[in-house]
Amino acid sequence: MSNLVERVLIIGLGLIGGSLAKALREQGCCGTVVGYDRDRDEMLAGLQLGVIDQVAENLAAEVEQANLIVLAVPVKATEEVLSQIKPYLSIETVLTDVGSTKGNVVEAARRVFGEIPDTFVPGHPIAGSEKSGVAAANSQLFNGYKVIITPLPESSASATRIVEQMWLQTGAIVLDMGVARHDEVLAATSHLPHILAFSLVDTLAKEEEKLDIFRYAAGGFRDFTRIAASDPTMWRDVCLANKEPLLKQLDSFTQGLAQLREAIEQGDSEMMLGTFTRAKAAREHFSRILSGTAYLDNMNTSNVVFRAQPGGSVTGTIRVPGDKSISHRSIMLGSLAEGVTEVTGFLEGEDALATLQAFRDMGVVIEGPHQGEVRIHGVGLHGLQAPPGPLYVGNSGTTIRLLSGLLAAQSFDTELSGDESLSKRPMERVAKPLRLMGAEIETGEGGRPPLKIKGGQSLQGIHYDMPMASAQVKSCLMLAGLYAEGTTSVTEPAPTRDHTERMLTGFGYSVGVDESTVSVQSGGKLTATNIDVPADISSATFFLVAAAITPDSDLTLEHVGINPTRVGVLNILRLMGADLELLNEREVGGEPVADIRIRYAPLKGIRVPEDQVPLAIDEFPALFVAACCAEGETVITGAEELRVKESDRIQVMVDGLKAVGADIEGTPDGAIIRGGQLTGGEVFAHGDHRIAMSFSIAALRSSGEIKINDCANVATSFPTFVDLANEVGLTIHKGEA
Ligand code: SPQ
């Protein structure tokens, strides 16, 4: 490989300059690495330690010869050094710096050069250590860490590329940002925490019993104050250089601290709990983003792959996680209730967590989730507060559609957005009837997210004949109806899940149900209650089908919700000949529950009754697999709604099942499937959790491995799927492509 440049000059051999020199030297990508430092001893030490190839005895001559110059001096010294090197700088020499503030570096360059050279590309590595000096130089210092480069309008593309390539050679992740944005972000994430650490240690050190305080200081103190051992001169310079953004951050922090002080003084435990739970949740979310495991990151960057091995049988007794639909609603209604609602069995999947986060963002104090337990400190129907920014709901259709009804009736404006898959799903189905109620709501291009909802509208009750069977549309209108003048009623063309109706009743809110019409009136209140979330029948379905298609299987699924509006899958499997038994039927918090035992029995193809379709709508991807393993033909009709779920579930299943050897044809509203032998192969889940899990169980009856791409979103509804599947006899390896 040819060198990036023939000669690089690093001015300033401190920790950053020294580490960069050492890394570039080790990579052998920059010809000769020359080092200069005002302190001659440091320079010589750099040579002796192998940090640099040569020392710059004559700075002017080295500047003339260098192709790339990196200023690694304290930010305050930038102007002086630039003035010093300016007379010798060739118009072709690329110039960059490592200063932790950028606005002042650019100003200094303007003062020195007048017109900024197109070879100047400022940069800032976000890496460091409290150690300093060339002796601490570490060639791995930037490996895996971020470097922000802030190309200026004047910077040429070729100079920008060289600076970017130089950092990439050190193993850094290079990001591009504007100068002002860089300084704001760094004030919040780096400069403020350093000021806090310095200030805390200094304050405690002034106390009379300081020795005792420090002697007994535990891990928390050590973690929090580690950065107070950083270079004081450097941090003085940073504060001077980034004064305005830092003051802004300090003011908002001081305000937050004052509020917390007041809460402590007043014994306001709600306020304290609110602050601490929000901070804990945010910290955990950021950690997941930082380690690349948050849904945000997974969706965009990593291809989680399942490799499901052929064969096996399914046995044992398991409980799948809590029902997703009920978990969402428990947070929503618990937040709107008066008093504290305790939830057990809550699904800790990304979708329900997105709902939880949205309510935290609107000021609701929510403790947990911890092993499925959540405590919601309800704020009442009129207690939600404006969120600090747009509400991001990830992959969750239920969150965006139900929230749109609730938010249309609030006094504040909101914006709802989601991930790539959600951004393709139709939202006019909720926006249209909400507008009829008087809501002001704007959808994005093609009637899709984001949704912009104007607050302060007074809603009127309406009667709405739903054109499609959708529990989300029905629930959205019922939530808006809690605030609308008069009665809001919805008639559905076929029964859909009725968890909202049941749960509202459980919270003491009166709901009218007259055959296929539900109605609510405003003016009531919700009273906190306890909710035990049953296991999700939609998640249980993967194991029901797994056992139904696999000889020698005998599996019991405990505590599964068997709400009559959700049991289509049981009815359809029974019609196909499955050996299913409901045990220990009971009612838990207004929802019927049972243990389901299923044993292998040969399945036969059927014409799926259309009245069962809405009752099994989320279970069709798995039922497609069951049909592939049944004898004869299965015909599915009236299921066009499958085309607007997290993916076009008809097309994606048809494509995938064909790829693994199935005999299947798609139709506009369903599919025709003829049972036979599956061969295995490679399929794509298109970010749809239910598709990923369905192909995982198909491997039980295929002759070869099924490789399933794009499975990250299994975490939205069933984060423990692979572990549970492997526990009952499947063999699924999870990895990244
Ligand atoms: O929340 P989301 O993404 O819409 O989830 C799905 C699923 O497969 O998990 C749909 F893709 O379930 C919906 C379901 O299809 C959850 C739901 C509810 O909780 O009210 C209702 C159904 O959707 P719809 O469109 O029929 O109202």
Side-chain angles (χ1 to χ4, degrees), residues 127-195:
S129 135
E130 50 299 346
K131 296 187 192 136
S132 53
V134 76
N138 166 11
S139 62
Q140 295 305 307
L141 190 69
F142 312 108
N143 193 3
Y145 286 85
K146 296 191 174 75
V147 171
I148 301 175
I149 58 170
T150 57
L152 306 170
E154 295 87 345
S155 311
S156 72
S158 60
T160 305
R161 197 191 68 83
I162 288 178
V163 173
E164 186 183 354
Q165 287 297 323
M166 173 192 81
W167 284 114
L168 288 174
Q169 291 292 329
T170 67
I173 301 155
V174 181
L175 307 171
D176 203 308
M177 213 181 254
V179 167
R181 180 79 188 127
H182 167 277
D183 287 355
E184 274 164 29
V185 168
L186 267 290
T189 56
S190 167
H191 308 168
L192 178 67
H194 276 84
I195 303 309

Side-chain angles (χ1 to χ4, degrees), residues 40 72 90 121 184 202 206 238 271 279 356 473 509 577 688 694:
R40 196 174 154 71
S90 131
V121 183
E184 274 164 29
D202 183 49
K206 284 181 198 149
V238 168
M271 157 73 189
L356 192 149
V473 176
Y509 206 99
D688 188 330
S694 298

Side-chain angles (χ1 to χ4, degrees), residues 96 107 111 148 182 258 266 269 290 297 328 367 383 409 445 528 542 547 563 574 621 631 656:
T96 185
E107 274 167 32
R111 279 195 297 273
I148 301 175
H182 167 277
Q266 303 295 323
S269 71
L290 293 173
D297 238 42
H328 280 301
E367 295 174 71
E445 209 188 315
F542 302 106
N563 179 312
R574 276 199 178 113
E631 200 190 320

